[in-house]
Amino acid sequence: RFKSNFQCLEETLSKQKGIQVLPCEGGWVAILELRSGQSDEELALRLLEDQNLIIYPGYFFDFGEGEFLVISLLLPSKIFAEGADRLAGGLI
């Protein structure tokens, strides 16, 4: 399930500019690197408010500088795919 959710996320965000899905090194999360000009905390809060998505800001995981979001890959695939679509819409 982790692998299929990760692939879903990569495919869903592949056409988004300024977003890079970092290579997965065998964990239960995916990491996005963004170039939006907002802090990762601002992005996570906006996605929660606007898209009803719970996504962690990178500083929760000791990412220092830059804009990083951390996404759980634990969800059932159908729910994850719906969230990935909302994420793509929320990052435009």
Side-chain angles (χ1 to χ4, degrees):
R1 181 172 64 202
F2 297 158
K3 190 179 224 179
S4 67
N5 284 349
F6 185 79
Q7 290 171 340
C8 171
L9 186 65
E10 283 185 312
E11 291 170 11
T12 302
L13 298 179
S14 65
K15 294 184 170 99
Q16 298 275 14
K17 296 196 187 274
I19 302 170
Q20 181 179 1
V21 180
L22 298 181
C24 188
E25 295 182 7
W28 54 270
V29 297
I31 301 168
L32 304 181
E33 184 175 10
L34 300 106
R35 290 169 206 87
S36 71
Q38 294 183 333
S39 73
D40 49 6
E41 182 175 26
E42 290 172 328
L43 287 167
L45 287 172
R46 184 169 55 86
L47 290 167
L48 176 62
E49 292 170 359
D50 296 349
Q51 301 295 326
N52 199 29
L53 294 171
I54 298 174
I55 296 179
Y56 304 101
Y59 76 87
F60 279 17
F61 294 82
D62 292 328
F63 285 95
E65 296 180 27
E67 303 166 35
F68 295 93
L69 296 176
V70 179
I71 301 168
S72 172
L73 297 171
L74 294 172
L75 295 165
S77 296
K78 182 178 178 181
I79 294 170
F80 187 88
E82 291 171 13
D85 288 338
R86 283 191 278 152
L87 175 63
L91 292 175
I92 292 176

